[in-house]
Amino acid sequence: MALRMWASSTANALRVSCAAKSSLSPAFCLSRCFSTVLDGLKYASSHEWVKHEGAVATIGITDHAQDHLGEVVFVELPEPGGSVSKGGSFGAVESVKATSDVNSPISGEIVEVNTKLSEAPGLINSSPYENGWMIKVKPSSPSELESLMGPKEYTKFCEEEDAAH
Amino acid sequence: MSTISQARSIGLPLMNIVRFKGAPILHQLYLEEQLLRTSSENWCVINDGTNIPTIVMGISGKPSELLEVRSVLQDQVPVVRRFSGGGTVIVDHGTLFVTFICNKNAVPGVQPYPQPIMSWSSTLYNEVFQGIGHFHLRENDYVFGNRKFGGNAQSITKNRWVHHTSFLWDYEARNMAYLKLPMRTPKYRLARDHEEFVCRMKDFLSREAFIDRTLKAVGTQFSVRPIQSEASSVPHDATFQHSTTMLTKQELEAALPSQSETYELQRF
């Protein structure tokens, strides 16, 4: 089992207690990046996550991303029935003064969209891996998942990215 | 360019500079989004005033919450919803615009997130306003002392970002009456009304001095290349799908309070 080290900030302590109650098992967190990375998910270099369960893949943005963006005040999402392409933008989040594109880690057909985010965009901050999910997709090329990062690789990626700046 | 300045600019990333005077704000925003999404170069767009007083909301702006819609309709003030985040402004010939559109690796040490970009921009403007008016970045605004004169907004994609600023070189106090007090205000505003919260940049320096100082500051970090606005390298693709929109009369009318809401308001 991976070593579990939790960041010391109060905000992260709150996120830890939420994650502990969930069905997802927290993997580990590097104290340097102060973000949670979960086991069982795959990650894109643009800081989105994918959870593949059977015929459907759920997509959202990572804890690292929401932490760097700040308070999310508005989420722009596509309609179900549309399609997404790997690496392409499917929506945006607005945090205070900025809109930021959200990109799909995989290609496929959008089968469901999280409509709760229109009334509660802050779910992306408080629960980025669970209640803050953004879209569900039927993958058209499941092999695309293999090129994404696992939790250890993504954690290292975050650490290197933060250290470089 | 002198030999010394040529030597200094070697190795610096290139920044294309496009200057306008009085360009319509809608056209400026169209150009900026197109440069963000279709160019791979760095751009600085400067627009010295805009020709028609226009209200500009952020991407999620709701007219019913942000505007005195009846007055806006009555006076036929154009309303634009821009592609970037942030709040609502009313811009006119007294507003100066400076926009940076950059590759994420163009500025060393700046991650493509709101706060690092804002922080970088404030260091650039620290140079511009060196010795003038106790300039600093306060939350997300540019202030002299504790009075705002510059507002910022951003749009960030996977590999590029836009940071644009509208500077209040001058403004008409009566135009502010079209805007409601927003629900989200910076903490440092306290309870100040508009006249007490903002100030005019013209009380501190001239338009020409501001633009010259800005170009000089840009030149310390980039190798500057002036581009004519009509040049072919400046995109004018009529097929590009813009996110920025001009609100229609119907959309604004739909934002008017209903008859029953108006009655309820009048009762109190």
Side-chain angles (χ1 to χ4, degrees):
Chain A
M1 177 67 74
L3 179 67
R4 296 177 190 190
M5 301 189 313
W6 302 110
S8 58
S9 72
T10 306
N12 274 328
L14 289 172
R15 285 200 289 274
V16 165
S17 63
C18 287
K21 287 174 192 158
S22 77
S23 57
L24 293 162
S25 56
F28 46 85
C29 166
L30 279 182
S31 56
R32 273 180 87 176
C33 74
F34 293 105
S35 299
T36 306
V37 178
L38 296 186
D39 212 353
L41 306 183
K42 297 288 252 178
Y43 298 87
S45 59
S46 47
H47 301 286
E48 292 87 11
W49 58 265
V50 184
K51 184 176 159 198
H52 190 202
E53 293 173 305
V56 171
T58 308
I59 294 167
I61 66 168
T62 66
D63 189 35
H64 175 98
Q66 71 77 23
D67 187 52
H68 281 60
L69 287 171
E71 184 192 354
V72 175
V73 299
F74 177 74
V75 183
E76 193 176 67
L77 290 174
E79 294 291 322
S83 62
V84 290
S85 303
K86 180 179 168 69
S89 168
F90 67 81
V93 294
E94 184 185 2
S95 53
V96 191
K97 296 288 183 179
T99 59
S100 300
D101 278 2
V102 187
N103 304 292
S104 182
I106 58 170
S107 309
E109 182 197 345
I110 302 167
V111 297
E112 195 180 340
V113 167
N114 188 352
T115 52
K116 286 188 186 156
L117 294 178
S118 61
E119 292 302 317
L123 287 172
I124 288 182
N125 295 117
S126 60
S127 183
Y129 296 114
E130 294 190 36
N131 298 327
W133 68 271
M134 296 179 80
I135 59 172
K136 292 185 194 275
V137 165
K138 193 169 141 189
S140 56
S141 307
S143 60
E144 287 175 339
L145 286 154
E146 289 161 30
S147 63
L148 297 172
M149 290 182 270
K152 279 186 193 171
E153 207 182 338
Y154 176 65
T155 302
K156 188 163 181 269
F157 175 78
C158 287
E159 187 188 31
E160 287 172 355
E161 196 176 72
D162 282 343
H165 294 93
Chain B
M1 197 191 292
S2 72
T3 307
I4 293 169
S5 55
Q6 275 174 320
R8 270 206 202 112
S9 69
I10 289 170
L12 293 176
L14 188 65
M15 176 71 76
N16 298 307
I17 309 279
V18 182
R19 292 178 63 170
F20 298 94
K21 189 167 177 64
I25 186 60
L26 187 65
H27 293 180
Q28 178 189 329
L29 291 167
Y30 277 174
L31 172 66
E32 289 175 5
E33 191 181 9
Q34 196 162 349
L35 287 171
L36 172 69
R37 295 202 178 269
T38 67
S39 172
S40 57
E41 297 183 3
N42 304 310
W43 298 82
C44 174
V45 178
I46 298 175
N47 190 11
D48 185 357
T50 190
N51 58 339
I52 300 170
T54 305
I55 293 168
V56 184
M57 301 188 298
I59 191 169
S60 62
K62 294 190 177 92
S64 58
E65 291 175 6
L66 298 167
L67 309 180
E68 297 293 351
V69 181
R70 208 170 293 283
S71 303
V72 168
L73 279 164
Q74 193 173 304
D75 296 345
Q76 296 181 300
V77 183
V79 179
V80 166
R81 186 183 280 118
R82 66 179 183 267
F83 68 97
S84 56
T88 308
V89 290
I90 179 158
V91 298
D92 59 20
H93 63 275
T95 315
L96 286 165
F97 304 91
V98 180
T99 299
F100 293 99
I101 304 157
C102 292
N103 291 311
K104 68 177 184 182
N105 298 324
V107 189
V110 175
Q111 285 202 54
Y113 291 109
Q115 195 277 327
I117 297 168
M118 187 77 71
S119 181
W120 167 78
S121 75
S122 72
T123 61
L124 185 134
Y125 286 110
N126 272 330
E127 274 189 60
V128 175
F129 296 108
Q130 184 85 31
I132 296 175
H134 189 42
F135 165 83
H136 55 285
L137 175 69
R138 189 90 189 252
E139 296 182 44
N140 296 300
D141 299 333
Y142 295 138
V143 299
F144 289 129
N146 71 343
R147 289 199 177 214
K148 176 179 177 178
F149 73 97
N152 297 289
Q154 299 164 338
S155 181
I156 304 168
T157 66
K158 195 158 59 169
N159 296 309
R160 288 166 67 72
W161 47 261
V162 162
H163 179 95
H164 48 204
T165 310
S166 57
F167 290 95
L168 287 174
W169 187 78
D170 194 6
Y171 68 88
E172 308 255 3
R174 63 196 163 114
N175 282 347
M176 301 304 165
Y178 293 117
L179 308 182
K180 288 181 176 173
L181 196 64
M183 286 189 296
R184 283 179 186 273
T185 58
K187 293 188 182 71
Y188 78 97
R189 181 168 184 156
L190 303 170
R192 289 181 286 166
D193 65 22
H194 207 87
E195 283 291 311
E196 293 299 314
F197 175 52
V198 298
C199 65
R200 294 173 169 85
M201 198 165 77
K202 72 174 191 179
D203 294 336
F204 294 88
L205 78 171
S206 71
R207 298 169 94 116
E208 295 74 23
F210 168 70
I211 293 173
D212 286 346
R213 282 172 166 244
T214 300
L215 291 170
K216 194 172 167 192
V218 173
T220 64
Q221 298 191 41
F222 298 91
S223 177
V224 165
R225 178 169 71 181
I227 302 275
Q228 293 297 318
S229 59
E230 308 82 21
S232 58
S233 54
V234 180
H236 297 95
D237 181 0
T239 64
F240 180 77
Q241 295 281 331
H242 297 283
S243 306
T244 297
T245 55
M246 175 88 78
L247 270 66
T248 63
K249 188 175 168 213
Q250 289 73 22
E251 284 172 306
L252 289 169
E253 284 172 345
L256 283 167
S258 65
Q259 293 283 66
S260 56
E261 282 170 326
T262 308
Y263 175 65
E264 286 297 319
L265 284 168
Q266 286 170 347
R267 279 179 64 197
F268 294 100

